[in-house]
Amino acid sequence: MAMSRAAAATGAVTRRRLGATAARSMASWFGHVEPAAKDPILGVTEAFLADPSPDKVNVGVGAYRDDNGKPVVLDCVREAERRITGNMNMEYLPMGGSIKMIEESLKLAYGEDSQFIKDKRIAAVQALSGTGACRLFADFQKRFLPDSHIYIPTPTWANHHNIWRDAQVPQRTFTYYHPESRGLDFSGLMDDIKNAPDGSFFLLHACAHNPTGVDPSEEQWREISHQFKVKNHFPFFDMAYQGFASGDPERDAKAIRIFLEDGHQIGCAQSYAKNMGLYGQRAGCLSILCDDEMQAVAVKSQLQQIARPMYSNPPVHGALIVSTILGDPELKTLWLKEVKGMADRIIGMRKALKQNLEKLGSPMSWEHITNQIGMFCYSGMTPEQVDRLTNEFHIYMTRNGRISMAGVTTGNVAYLANAIHECHAVII
Ligand code: KET
């Protein structure tokens, strides 16, 4: 709104009276703002894009690429878009998002015939992809259980720390990975579950743990679930890779189903970034299983109230794509085939990377490359070795040694293996 002339004049007088010092500080409102640290994952993409080398390889961000290294739009998504075009309006979605998309998401996570869905016991809202779902939950946790903590696995997706930090929920960590075996530290994990105060919140990766690619076995999940019951802990599942672990979304929901069978109340963050390739559409869902329908209505209304001043309501296009695909048996079948295709290509690249390293005469064991699952291989390389890979070979990856297998292709796998061999295998 334009300022009246009188008000502008008063402002000018006030500024003169404040004197030179105040004027200087007014001129630099943000002079004290230091540049933020680079994001450990998305910062890698920025560095990759800035590198002019024709040899460069990006195995940083967990984003699927085809065998030519190109981003993929799934056929089911293209078909859904074709059906949507000209058929939609641009109205706001409700604060909680698309009801249809939420219904379909719940079926994926909780099971097609879930009694919890029938009993309307699940409070769920469409979220800004997996990140937004986690953030909404963290804010909800802070608001309604202000004294609670969140237990986060070591290691985890770096952004988990930021999300719960910004929601002002204090964090603790629990043991997860066993560096020597490059597998799960199951006894350490169980000890930490037992030693946490009763009724603690735990963040669990539902499948395809990021960054390690190491998941508990079904039997181990059962033991974890049992111990959660004994301790009355709350499991919050981040499910960003449903379908990417085994190639089958139903199988990848197994951990959640075990917890449900055991009578836990759970929270779940779902993302369609990876499994539908909808990265930039920000399509996801947050759900919380409640005691009964009345509680679910209350919880949902509170989640909406958290969303309203933050972004008001979620975007419509990605939600429509999701509900169109999952709501149509033919498109859903196509989607399942395409998810499996992506998972299989990654599994193939794991084998190829391992074989290439062995062919080079690497004396080390590379079994973990094929034992680990999902998008990532947690290579065991040190930050210094990763720096060498980047500086000498133009290979971009996170400094924790994580390789996004989704960025490995028939064309770059030999180059990658050779560089790893140079920087890693011979040093240790
Ligand atoms: N949880 C996990 C475990 C995860 O790896 C990601 C993304 C997300 C949630 C969030 O995804 P969203 O796009 O908000 O649905 N991970 C990859 C991308 C990123 O860091 O943003 C990654 O680890 O490379």
Side-chain angles (χ1 to χ4, degrees), residues 379-391 397-402 423-424:
S379 67
M381 275 186 276
T382 64
E384 293 70 31
Q385 289 165 343
V386 172
D387 290 345
R388 264 196 74 195
L389 273 182
T390 306
N391 297 335
M397 55 190 273
T398 54
R399 291 189 83 229
N400 61 1
R402 185 188 86 167
C423 297
H424 183 52

Side-chain angles (χ1 to χ4, degrees), residues 110 114-122 260 264 289:
Y110 294 77
S114 165
Q115 195 56 43
F116 304 120
I117 298 178
K118 289 184 191 137
D119 294 343
K120 300 191 167 59
R121 278 183 55 189
I122 310 171
L260 292 175
H264 289 279
L289 175 59

Side-chain angles (χ1 to χ4, degrees), residues 23-57:
R24 208 168 27 248
S25 74
M26 279 172 78
S28 66
W29 282 106
F30 305 115
H32 61 293
V33 178
E34 301 285 341
K38 271 209 181 309
D39 185 83
I41 299 172
L42 300 184
V44 173
T45 306
E46 286 171 27
F48 169 80
L49 292 173
D51 185 343
S53 166
D55 298 331
K56 65 181 179 177
V57 174

Side-chain angles (χ1 to χ4, degrees), residues 7 10 14 57 83 86 119 140 151 157 161 163 189 211 218 291 342 353 389 425:
T10 319
T14 314
V57 174
R83 292 185 193 181
D119 294 343
F140 177 81
Y151 278 80
W157 178 49
H161 294 292
I163 290 169
L189 165 70
E218 197 176 315
D291 290 331
M342 291 192 284
L353 181 60
L389 273 182

Side-chain angles (χ1 to χ4, degrees), residues 75-89 100 317 320-334:
D75 288 343
C76 61
V77 170
R78 286 284 187 231
E79 175 57 22
E81 282 199 304
R82 203 188 55 75
R83 292 185 193 181
I84 293 162
T85 308
N87 258 329
M88 66 182 283
N89 58 46
K100 183 122 200 304
H317 191 70
L320 255 174
I321 294 173
V322 171
S323 56
T324 304
I325 293 172
L326 297 180
D328 178 287
E330 191 193 323
L331 279 187
K332 187 172 175 187
T333 307
L334 176 59

Side-chain angles (χ1 to χ4, degrees), residues 345-365:
R345 194 187 82 71
I346 291 177
I347 291 168
M349 283 304 125
R350 287 182 183 281
K351 289 189 189 129
L353 181 60
K354 179 166 168 275
Q355 278 165 6
N356 273 277
L357 280 159
E358 286 165 354
K359 227 167 44 199
L360 288 163
S362 170
M364 306 179 60
S365 164

Side-chain angles (χ1 to χ4, degrees), residues 41 61-62 129-131 157 205 210 238 240-241 271 273-274 282 402:
I41 299 172
V61 69
S129 213
T131 309
W157 178 49
H205 295 227
N210 175 9
D238 183 0
Y241 298 93
S271 164
K274 328 280 170 161
R282 314 313 290 146
R402 185 188 86 167

